[in-house]
Amino acid sequence: RGDVLETLVLLNPSDKSLCDELRNLITDVSQHKLLVFAGPCVEETGELMLQTGCFSLRDFIQIFTDKEVGEILSSADPSAKARLTVSCPDFGEWRDSGLDHHNLQDFIELRYNPGCILPEMEGLEEFMEYLSESLEPQSPFDLLEPPTMVGFLKLSKPCCYIFPGGRGDSAFFAVNGFNVLVNGGSNPKSSFWKLVRHLDRIDSILVTHAGTDSLPGVNSLLQRKLAELEEDPSQSSQGNGDWAKNLISPELGVVFLNASEKLKDIEGNSRVLKSCDEAALTLHYLDKLGIRPNPLSRDSGPRAEPTVLFQKMGVGRLDMYVLNPVKGTKELEFLLQQWSGNSYPKEQDLPLQCLTSVCALLVWHPVSPSEKIIRVLFPGCTPQGRILEGLEKVKHLEFLKYPVVTKNDLKGPPASQPEKLLKQRRAESKESLKSASKLSLVDAGAPVLKEKAPKVERKEVKAGTKEKPKSLGETARAGLEEEKAKDARAKLDSSMEKLKADAKPKLSKEKAVPKKEPVPRKEEKKPPKKDEGAEVKGEAKKEVKVAKKEVKAETLRKDAKENKAEAKAPAKTPTRKTLVPETRKPLAKAGSIRKPTFKKEPEK
């Protein structure tokens, strides 16, 4: 600072510090001001590359729109209007700045890149030499500092980290046993380094496109790995512990990058940051490290096939589906064979880096069927139309049809089996309800079911003789009369006498129905059974006679079969006696045995 001239030089500043100093410069009371932007600029936009982020024309205009700055400039004397001369890139946004539309000339006079007026001066040359000495680039170990803690970080669960990297972001995706670094961002000081330096290995690096927004961060990492190999081991004898710390960094695995081998012959320009220069630098570092980049593309078939990045028994599988670019297209062939950064097919409206950008879908399939299937899409700078075309090739995948999905959700056939079992159970329950309703109708004395019951009895009669059904009918009648007598004595003595006096049981039962409310239903069911027994007897007699005539005509072999059927018949008949033992229980309680009860029944 002098009495006439005040000079401020910012060496490798951050975006925040640059904006603060520019605000102070504009609001200063001095009338003549000079602003010089020097350093590497992005090829198409003219943005200045800073330590963190970039500085563009939009950031410059944003300073003037600040309320405090506007008030200071508007309150100044119009006769002493300040003048600001700006030396900036002459391409990109700075060429067609359009500052006249923002009415900045009303507050301050702006001049851009004026011609050289001052002659060469020795003092100016000495000043530039002094600055050049302090503008030495940082060493890779100062740019990417070694870890401060001992040990490595292990990631056991799927995770995805997004690091803002200036104009381009960087992403880090990891599962149990494998990780992927996607792009590096536009900052030379890699934004992902603070996490990655605690890992023992970076299994894969995926560069979606060769651009100034994706390669600078990756190049800083590759440059550091190369510096570790070139580091002099003799420094360790000097007791310098920093040398050993500098060697702590993750190992590098496979690298995916679409770039032409012709880029290795390009000599970069330090003033302009170009995509081809960054890609050439990446290929140069990979060649020295002994890593060969692998191109990525998908086949032009109807479906996209996955590339298995990682698979381990008991852990899971990581697949990668490449949605763009397509193998054999003109853009991809031009990029891999002819592109050197200075030309691309002009019939395309979009840049070549966008048309050939890698769009990859990573899918993690865990072994546990209850764990979620992880799906992450990294589109790069692929146009939206190309992304949708690629998604059409993977629409057949079942795990893409659910917002949240596990292996249990994808088991379609096994999942339908419980539904079938439910349907079978419902059908069985319906059939059981039908059979129950039929049984209730039989008990109620439905006329339709009366005809079916005698058919079963007829078969039994054919297999047996005349005397057996008669004894069964008599015992059944005696048991029913005993039950009626006991119920009548317990309830009403008068009803007991009427039942004994009546000779016709049908008339007595029909008369007792209206007198007793709980008894009528039981008594209405029983009389038809006696009628059925009488009918069965008549039919059985007729059928037995027919059976005797047939027996005379049949041979001795048929007689043996009938004897076997007769032996089986008595085993079937006790099924009808299920009601009889229930009626005999009260007699057994009186201390009598079943055999004497059979003898007393016919006496009654």
Side-chain angles (χ1 to χ4, degrees), residues 133-150:
E133 292 178 359
S134 59
L135 286 175
E136 292 182 0
Q138 288 180 305
S139 68
F141 305 110
D142 294 334
L143 189 63
L144 303 180
E145 299 177 352
T148 57
M149 299 174 61
V150 179

Side-chain angles (χ1 to χ4, degrees), residues 278-298:
E278 290 295 321
L281 193 61
T282 304
L283 294 175
H284 176 70
Y285 289 150
L286 291 175
D287 190 18
K288 286 189 174 182
L289 292 172
I291 301 174
R292 183 179 179 83
N294 298 309
L296 279 181
S297 61
R298 69 170 175 87

Side-chain angles (χ1 to χ4, degrees), residues 472-484 530 583 601-602 604:
L472 291 173
E474 290 176 358
T475 53
R477 288 178 186 176
L480 292 173
E481 288 176 358
E482 287 177 359
E483 288 179 358
K484 292 172 187 178
K530 293 182 179 181
T583 58
E601 285 176 359
K604 290 180 180 180

Side-chain angles (χ1 to χ4, degrees), residues 270-324:
S270 60
R271 294 187 59 186
V272 180
L273 188 65
K274 295 183 178 180
S275 300
C276 59
D277 296 340
E278 290 295 321
L281 193 61
T282 304
L283 294 175
H284 176 70
Y285 289 150
L286 291 175
D287 190 18
K288 286 189 174 182
L289 292 172
I291 301 174
R292 183 179 179 83
N294 298 309
L296 279 181
S297 61
R298 69 170 175 87
D299 296 330
S300 58
R303 294 184 176 182
E305 299 297 331
T307 300
V308 180
L309 297 179
F310 171 75
Q311 187 173 8
K312 187 175 181 180
M313 294 181 64
V315 180
R317 186 181 78 253
L318 180 63
D319 294 340
M320 178 175 64
Y321 295 85
V322 179
L323 307 184
N324 193 69

Side-chain angles (χ1 to χ4, degrees), residues 44-115:
E44 296 179 355
T45 60
E47 294 176 315
L48 293 171
M49 298 295 298
L50 303 178
Q51 181 182 359
T52 56
C54 300
F55 185 82
S56 63
L57 178 64
R58 295 185 297 273
D59 300 326
F60 181 69
I61 297 173
Q62 186 69 25
I63 296 173
F64 289 93
T65 59
D66 186 69
K67 184 178 180 181
E68 183 180 355
V69 174
E71 291 177 355
I72 294 174
L73 293 178
S74 59
S75 62
D77 188 4
S79 60
K81 190 175 182 180
R83 175 184 294 179
L84 177 63
T85 303
V86 182
S87 176
C88 59
D90 57 353
F91 60 90
E93 296 176 351
W94 297 97
R95 174 180 293 180
D96 300 327
S97 60
L99 292 177
D100 298 335
H101 301 289
H102 300 279
N103 299 325
L104 298 179
Q105 299 290 348
D106 298 339
F107 305 101
I108 188 172
E109 183 181 351
L110 295 175
R111 297 176 62 189
Y112 292 95
N113 297 326

Side-chain angles (χ1 to χ4, degrees), residues 149-163:
M149 299 174 61
V150 179
F152 297 107
L153 181 66
K154 183 179 179 180
L155 302 173
S156 59
K157 293 185 179 180
C159 58
C160 184
Y161 295 93
I162 307 297
F163 304 97

